[in-house]
Amino acid sequence: MPLLELVELTKIFRTPHGEARAVDGITLSVEAGETLGIIGESGSGKSTLGRLILRLTEPDSGSVVIEGQDVLALGRGELRRKRRHWQIVFQEPFASLNPRLTIRQIVEEPLIVARMGDRAERRLRVLATLEEVGLSADFMDRRPANLSGGQQQRVGIARALVTNPSLVVLDEPTSSLDLTIRASILRTLARLRASRGLTYVFISHDIETVRHFCSTVAVMHRGKIVEVGPTRDVLIAPQHPYTQSLISAALPVVPYSAAVGTTNSQGQTS
Amino acid sequence: MTSLGGRASSWAKQGRAWAYKRSGMVLAVVAAGIIVALPLAAIFLHLPQNPLQPDVESMALAPNSVHWFGTDGNGMDVFSRTIESARLDLPISLAATAIALVIGVPLGLFATTGVAGEAIMRVVDAFAALPIIVIAVVSIQLMGGGATDVILAIALVAAPRFVRLSRAAAISLRSSRYVEAAVAIGCSPIRVAFNHIFRNAYGVILVQATLTTAGALSTIAALNFLGVGVKPPQPSWGAMIEDGVSMLIRGQWWAVAFPALALLLVIGSLNIIAGAIEDKMERVEHTR
């Protein structure tokens, strides 16, 4: 049984200019331990899809089943109690952290809300989780504004993982970070996936990141999945014309000109 | 030498920063002391003259050794009345503000969506459309007219502003990423409202609370003028100023000046306290 199953999921935003089908009849399934990459350009509806999976936005139709549980059938209170198993890491790390709270308060809150452990146990768990994401105990009493972007995102990851969830939606977790920090965050996420057996839904617009990080990839275009399959197959031999154009638009890891060794008259690689 | 000089100047800088931080706190403590001491003085201190006793022999006397702040048009001692005013003025205005906060802030935080939210806002709008004094007079007449009723009436009139302020904050912060994150970790609506929205919005609410307290002092005076609530000859600063204004034209400034100074002192103190609280929170946020 897949860990996550979406059937005909649809979200329509109604604006004065008409309807926008942000997510249009998406059917997908993700096996436990798998990492599904969702790739597409801005406005393709991939972030909305991530929010629909966790019911942070209510869909117009379709169904979401996680671990055999129909998410849309849950009452408000039941849904809140289930949230600790299904988590999300947001794109903008600083904006997603309450500036008034300390790192300790931020990472501890999911435990308090889920009524997990007493004070002492929670403290130990926060410490252990921070260490797992690569932050020392020194960070406990600091506030988000005093951390770098990478450190802030590590706090966001710690908050998502502290309750030991089974499914984590990663909504472009590295797209606002420097390249070097991006790689180190991705390594941390990969390590956690291996050690905790996590299932990820990884939303991204960066083909290279998806290529290295995801076992399966779904290509989204105007609210629809145009192509889905094992990452290698989809990225090496794309079937759909939109996937082909997406891949050809991506910057190659080794610039073409550098590989061929041509320069233009100004001495710049072209 | 240069390194030594550099270190000394950095010490001086740190010293100044320390003094600056301390001065804010000291000032706030002094301000809080004034707010607490004035009503206590009115209640426990033996005033030099009876503040409620008119005296036809000594009307409109300038400040002298017997009447330190002079006497008013009825021959009552201005000093004693200025202190005595604090007995009712301060507790009433502070309690009214506290009640307005307790009613208004939760309503505003939750009245953001749905039919209930709309209904709350329409009631608030209706209240805001009526003149404050009319509401206060009517509600005091309905309730009786003691100090408790004045407190409730002023709270009722002040609460809509807190509803609006906290609702505006709730609406603007609700779409913020960290509030969405709070929902995603399973926080209840109450927890989201207080731990995430109110915590980031109380600066404006605090400032409004200071203004409300100051406004309450003048509402007490206005009610007094209309003959409801605090009844003469029981003094209030607002009423003393009101009465004293007619003496100004004859150059008899003291009947207005001293209660006005007391009012100024109280409002200034409240501002300092509010500023210190906000400052402390800001500092907590920006330094480790």
Side-chain angles (χ1 to χ4, degrees), chain B residues 167-248:
Chain B
R167 180 170 184 264
I171 287 174
S172 78
L173 290 179
R174 208 146 66 119
S175 52
S176 75
R177 277 286 165 275
Y178 62 83
V179 169
E180 189 175 15
V183 172
I185 61 171
C187 289
S188 66
I190 294 175
R191 194 178 175 90
V192 171
F194 287 100
N195 215 19
H196 296 281
I197 294 174
F198 180 66
R199 251 188 140 118
N200 284 282
Y202 62 75
V204 273
I205 294 173
L206 208 63
V207 171
Q208 181 59 42
T210 322
L211 294 174
T212 301
T213 313
L217 290 168
S218 70
T219 308
I220 294 170
L223 291 172
N224 181 321
F225 183 70
L226 294 170
V228 286
V230 181
K231 296 229 167 59
Q234 176 66 38
S236 81
W237 291 319
M240 288 176 72
I241 293 168
E242 194 91 42
D243 294 344
V245 166
S246 61
M247 296 167 64
L248 271 181

Side-chain angles (χ1 to χ4, degrees), chain A residues 146-161:
Chain A
N146 305 115
L147 270 57
S148 70
Q151 289 164 342
Q152 287 164 355
Q153 194 55 295
R154 287 174 193 278
V155 173
I157 295 168
R159 171 174 61 189
L161 293 184

Side-chain angles (χ1 to χ4, degrees), chain B residues 258-277:
Chain B
F258 292 109
L261 271 177
L263 209 56
L264 212 62
L265 193 66
V266 166
I267 293 169
S269 299
L270 289 170
N271 273 317
I272 287 168
I273 294 168
I277 294 174

Side-chain angles (χ1 to χ4, degrees), chain A residues 97 101-112 122-123 125-131 133 135 139-140 152 154-163, chain B residues 185:
Chain A
L97 305 174
L101 302 183
T102 62
I103 302 312
R104 179 192 176 165
Q105 289 170 317
I106 289 169
V107 180
E108 191 181 18
E109 192 165 28
L111 295 173
I112 296 171
R122 287 201 302 264
R123 191 190 141 80
R125 188 140 179 173
V126 169
L127 272 172
T129 311
L130 284 177
E131 191 162 336
V133 301
L135 294 175
F139 285 92
M140 292 276 274
Q152 287 164 355
R154 287 174 193 278
V155 173
I157 295 168
R159 171 174 61 189
L161 293 184
V162 72
T163 54
Chain B
I185 61 171

Side-chain angles (χ1 to χ4, degrees), chain A residues 51 56 80 83 87-88 90 92 95-101 105 109-110 113 141-143 146 159, chain B residues 177-178 180-181 183-189 191 195-196 199-200 202 281-282 284-288:
Chain A
R51 282 170 174 73
L56 291 171
R80 281 209 300 274
R83 287 211 181 276
Q87 278 299 318
I88 181 164
F90 291 95
E92 310 96 335
S96 76
L97 305 174
N98 185 338
R100 300 271 175 187
L101 302 183
Q105 289 170 317
E109 192 165 28
V113 170
D141 296 320
R142 298 209 202 166
R143 276 161 220 273
N146 305 115
R159 171 174 61 189
Chain B
R177 277 286 165 275
Y178 62 83
E180 189 175 15
V183 172
I185 61 171
C187 289
S188 66
R191 194 178 175 90
N195 215 19
H196 296 281
R199 251 188 140 118
N200 284 282
Y202 62 75
M281 296 302 168
E282 288 295 307
V284 159
E285 190 181 326
H286 290 298
T287 63
R288 76 163 259 124

Side-chain angles (χ1 to χ4, degrees), chain B residues 130-142:
Chain B
L130 287 170
I132 291 168
I133 289 298
V134 172
I135 305 173
V137 169
V138 168
S139 49
I140 289 171
Q141 292 297 357
L142 288 177

Side-chain angles (χ1 to χ4, degrees), chain A:
Chain A
M1 190 184 67
L3 185 123
L4 168 67
E5 220 173 350
L6 311 177
V7 181
E8 284 296 312
L9 199 61
T10 301
K11 177 70 184 180
I12 302 165
F13 289 115
R14 290 175 180 81
T15 67
H17 310 292
E19 290 184 346
R21 304 181 78 87
V23 171
D24 193 358
I26 284 185
T27 299
L28 266 180
S29 69
V30 185
E31 298 295 330
E34 197 185 353
T35 294
L36 170 71
I38 295 177
I39 194 162
E41 59 193 1
S42 311
S44 60
K46 52 193 198 304
S47 280
T48 307
L49 180 62
R51 282 170 174 73
L52 287 176
I53 291 171
L54 298 179
R55 212 177 149 191
L56 291 171
T57 303
E58 293 287 332
D60 287 290
S61 65
S63 80
V64 180
V65 178
I66 309 177
E67 296 175 303
Q69 171 72 57
D70 182 351
V71 178
L72 301 176
L74 290 168
R76 285 175 179 280
E78 291 172 306
L79 177 63
R80 281 209 300 274
R81 282 188 288 281
K82 281 281 182 189
R83 287 211 181 276
R84 72 181 192 86
H85 302 293
W86 315 322
Q87 278 299 318
I88 181 164
V89 176
F90 291 95
Q91 177 177 2
E92 310 96 335
F94 180 60
S96 76
L97 305 174
N98 185 338
R100 300 271 175 187
L101 302 183
T102 62
I103 302 312
R104 179 192 176 165
Q105 289 170 317
I106 289 169
V107 180
E108 191 181 18
E109 192 165 28
L111 295 173
I112 296 171
V113 170
R115 300 206 170 82
M116 292 168 79
D118 59 28
R119 267 184 78 87
E121 286 165 359
R122 287 201 302 264
R123 191 190 141 80
L124 286 178
R125 188 140 179 173
V126 169
L127 272 172
T129 311
L130 284 177
E131 191 162 336
E132 251 185 295
V133 301
L135 294 175
S136 67
D138 298 343
F139 285 92
M140 292 276 274
D141 296 320
R142 298 209 202 166
R143 276 161 220 273
N146 305 115
L147 270 57
S148 70
Q151 289 164 342
Q152 287 164 355
Q153 194 55 295
R154 287 174 193 278
V155 173
I157 295 168
R159 171 174 61 189
L161 293 184
V162 72
T163 54
N164 211 3
S166 48
L167 172 71
V168 181
V169 173
L170 303 165
D171 184 4
E172 306 207 31
T174 57
S175 60
S176 62
L177 302 173
D178 290 347
L179 271 178
T180 48
I181 295 162
R182 185 177 299 186
S184 118
I185 295 270
L186 286 172
R187 275 197 298 276
T188 303
L189 286 169
R191 181 163 46 74
L192 289 161
R193 173 173 61 191
S195 64
R196 291 179 168 224
L198 290 165
T199 306
Y200 287 149
V201 173
F202 186 87
I203 297 166
S204 179
H205 60 251
D206 180 30
I207 288 191
E208 284 313 313
T209 309
V210 169
R211 191 198 301 277
H212 291 108
F213 196 72
C214 304
S215 47
T216 314
V217 62
V219 181
M220 246 183 118
H221 181 52
R222 295 190 179 169
K224 288 190 161 76
I225 300 280
V226 295
E227 187 161 1
V228 59
T231 308
R232 194 164 307 175
D233 299 356
V234 173
L235 296 186
I236 289 175
Q239 298 302 306
H240 193 277
Y242 176 70
T243 317
Q244 289 166 0
S245 71
L246 201 64
I247 290 170
S248 64
L251 294 170
V253 175
V254 180
Y256 174 78
S257 56
V260 182
T262 57
T263 50
N264 63 14
S265 57
Q266 274 83 42
Q268 295 162 330
T269 53
S270 57

